[in-house]
């Protein structure tokens, strides 16, 4: 899918997943939230929907649709950011749409981001090795106890 349409985020069964890295997207999203969007046609979007789209810098942004303008060549969405009653100054074209937000899982994005850091992996590996050492020590102790009981 990525090879066929390189400027689109790959989807899994029509769903795309994003992590919120900016708190100015919508009022309902917080930093680190995990967002699930669904691929829908441009005609299915309605005013008030929250849409993920590519902005002019080719970064995925999530905003609420404030107004929909149907033009001959494409549908244009006027978006609203969080904490602003006024509309964004930039228009979003239907071709830039990545999906309609259908679900938010709070904090899951932060967990995913932290799991990707080498520092966390150091602690995970150290924890697993520690558990292994403890299990080995217990096994040796039990083995020694069993040998003592067999001798007597």
């Amino acid at each position: 899918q990525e090879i066929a349409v390189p400027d689109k985020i790959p989807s899994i069964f029509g769903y795309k997943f994003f992590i919120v890295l900016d708190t100015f997207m919508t009022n309902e999203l917080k930093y680190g939230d995990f967002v699930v969007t669904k691929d829908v046609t441009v005609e299915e979007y309605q005013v008030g929907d929250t849409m993920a789209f590519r902005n002019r810098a080719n970064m995925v942004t999530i905003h609420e649709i404030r107004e929909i303008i149907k033009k001959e060549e494409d549908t244009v969405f006027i978006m609203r950011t969080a904490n602003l009653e006024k509309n964004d100054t930039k228009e979003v074209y239907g071709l830039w749409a990545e999906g309609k937000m259908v679900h938010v899982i709070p904090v899951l994005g932060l967990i995913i981001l932290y799991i990707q850091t080498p520092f966390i992996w150091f602690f995970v590996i150290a924890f697993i090795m520690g558990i292994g050492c403890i299990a080995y020590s217990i096994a040796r102790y039990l083995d020694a106890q069993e040998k003592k009981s067999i001798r007597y």
Side-chain angles (χ1 to χ4, degrees):
Q1 187 178 14
E2 189 175 354
I3 294 170
V5 187
D7 288 338
K8 286 284 191 182
I9 301 291
S11 65
I12 300 172
F13 301 112
Y15 291 91
K16 297 178 185 178
F17 309 97
F18 303 98
I19 297 173
V20 177
L21 299 175
D22 186 354
T23 57
F24 296 108
M25 294 185 181
T26 68
N27 286 327
E28 59 197 62
L29 297 176
K30 307 282 185 264
Y31 179 82
D33 286 351
F34 187 78
V35 177
V36 180
T37 64
K38 183 172 179 22
D39 287 336
V40 296
T41 63
V42 174
E43 292 77 25
E44 292 179 71
Y45 288 105
Q46 298 176 355
V47 172
D49 286 345
T50 303
M51 177 173 77
F53 61 92
R54 292 272 182 174
N55 61 22
R56 295 181 192 277
N58 206 26
M59 301 290 291
V60 176
T61 306
I62 301 172
H63 289 299
E64 181 185 320
I65 299 172
R66 188 64 171 257
E67 183 181 348
I68 300 173
I69 303 168
K70 303 239 186 236
K71 293 187 175 180
E72 289 179 23
E73 65 275 358
D74 198 4
T75 302
V76 177
F77 299 95
I78 306 299
M79 310 305 282
R80 184 178 72 82
T81 59
N83 305 323
L84 295 176
E85 284 303 313
K86 62 182 182 178
N87 297 338
D88 286 349
T89 54
K90 298 180 181 128
E91 300 174 331
V92 174
Y93 295 94
L95 293 172
W96 300 353
E98 289 288 346
K100 176 181 174 179
M101 186 175 79
V102 292
H103 195 66
V104 177
I105 304 171
V107 186
L108 180 60
L110 281 178
I111 294 169
I112 292 169
L113 289 174
Y114 286 131
I115 286 173
Q116 294 176 5
T117 61
F119 187 68
I120 294 299
W121 279 108
F122 170 77
F123 282 110
V124 168
I125 291 169
F127 179 75
I128 291 169
M129 289 176 66
I131 295 294
C133 288
I134 291 169
Y136 178 74
S137 297
I138 291 171
R140 281 188 62 195
Y141 175 77
L142 293 174
D143 234 10
Q145 292 297 328
E146 187 178 327
K147 286 180 183 177
K148 280 183 185 178
S149 67
I150 291 174
R151 278 191 224 159
Y152 298 115

